[in-house]
Amino acid sequence: MMKVIGGEQMNYSKIGSLIAALRKEKGLTQKELAEQMHLSDRTISKWERGQGCPDVSLLPELSALLGINIEDILVGELITNDFVGGNMKKSNYFVCPSCYNIVLSTGNAAISCCGRKLEACVPTKAPVEEKLDVSQVDGEWFISSDHPMNKDHYISFIAFATGDQVHIIKQYPEWALQTRLPMRKHGTLLWYCTQHGLFYQLL
């Protein structure tokens, strides 16, 4: 059975098959899923046989119970990323503009925070005046900067990425920007300015 919503076709059979697969993955019977949603098990059975589709008002609860995005339920399938090689220098950084939560992804990912879908930050090569000061102290990188660190304009994190690992250090407004990192020969130093985005420089 198919239904058109907002110009998009919804395939009830695909949606039902996905719900059934995810329910079983969670170790739930139709009755147990129905009880958690305050529905009858006949309703769940109907969905899974492609004879109907969850009402829009039920989708947030169903997505939470099955651990899946609402959009994926409506599409009726989970899109699997291709395997991504192990070069951590190519990781994607996501930063929430509301709470400055940091999420790191080694491949493509759908990330949301504070009710917003996040886009991966595009790192910009730091011009000379934006570069962080880096020196060697006792076998470590000592990193500092006179960048503003007030509540409206500050660096929220510093990261150092090599081929096999990423070291992230959170920064806070009203704190002096001074930190140390284990010294490695080749890597990328990245930092996020709350007004100007993600910068990088090579070490």
Side-chain angles (χ1 to χ4, degrees), residues 178-194:
Q178 293 183 347
T179 192
R180 292 188 181 213
L181 287 168
M183 189 171 67
R184 297 182 180 88
K185 285 191 174 179
H186 300 290
T188 304
L189 184 65
L190 303 105
W191 62 97
Y192 185 82
C193 169
T194 58

Side-chain angles (χ1 to χ4, degrees), residues 101-121:
N101 188 17
I102 308 159
V103 180
L104 178 71
S105 167
T106 57
N108 294 328
I111 307 292
S112 61
C113 187
C114 295
R116 302 183 186 194
K117 186 175 181 180
L118 305 182
E119 298 295 331
C121 298

Side-chain angles (χ1 to χ4, degrees), residues 8-25:
E8 297 292 329
Q9 285 191 332
M10 292 174 58
N11 186 318
Y12 285 3
S13 295
K14 285 179 67 176
I15 292 171
S17 295
L18 179 63
I19 291 172
L22 292 172
R23 171 182 61 75
K24 292 172 185 174
E25 190 178 285

Side-chain angles (χ1 to χ4, degrees), residues 75-93:
V75 171
E77 63 181 324
L78 295 175
I79 307 300
T80 303
N81 283 336
D82 292 332
F83 176 75
V84 178
N87 192 341
M88 297 295 285
K89 292 181 185 178
K90 297 181 180 179
S91 297
N92 295 316
Y93 296 82

Side-chain angles (χ1 to χ4, degrees), residues 16 24-25 34 51 55-56 77 83 86 96 111 113-114 122 125 127 129 144 147 149 154 163 167 176 184 198:
K24 292 172 185 174
E25 190 178 285
Q51 300 301 308
D55 186 80
V56 173
E77 63 181 324
F83 176 75
C96 177
I111 307 292
C113 187
C114 295
V122 178
K125 187 173 183 179
E129 65 274 12
S144 61
H147 187 284
M149 292 295 286
Y154 67 99
H167 192 138
R184 297 182 180 88
L198 189 65

Side-chain angles (χ1 to χ4, degrees), residues 46-148:
K46 186 177 177 181
W47 294 347
E48 294 185 357
R49 288 183 287 112
Q51 300 301 308
C53 186
D55 186 80
V56 173
S57 64
L58 298 173
L59 290 176
E61 184 178 9
L62 183 62
S63 72
L65 288 170
L66 298 181
I68 182 176
N69 291 327
I70 291 174
E71 294 87 349
D72 293 325
I73 294 176
L74 298 176
V75 171
E77 63 181 324
L78 295 175
I79 307 300
T80 303
N81 283 336
D82 292 332
F83 176 75
V84 178
N87 192 341
M88 297 295 285
K89 292 181 185 178
K90 297 181 180 179
S91 297
N92 295 316
Y93 296 82
F94 299 81
V95 181
C96 177
S98 299
C99 70
Y100 296 114
N101 188 17
I102 308 159
V103 180
L104 178 71
S105 167
T106 57
N108 294 328
I111 307 292
S112 61
C113 187
C114 295
R116 302 183 186 194
K117 186 175 181 180
L118 305 182
E119 298 295 331
C121 298
V122 178
T124 301
K125 187 173 183 179
V128 174
E129 65 274 12
E130 292 287 345
K131 284 187 174 183
L132 303 184
D133 297 321
V134 180
S135 58
Q136 297 181 26
V137 177
D138 298 328
E140 294 180 311
W141 294 121
F142 178 70
I143 300 166
S144 61
S145 174
D146 58 3
H147 187 284

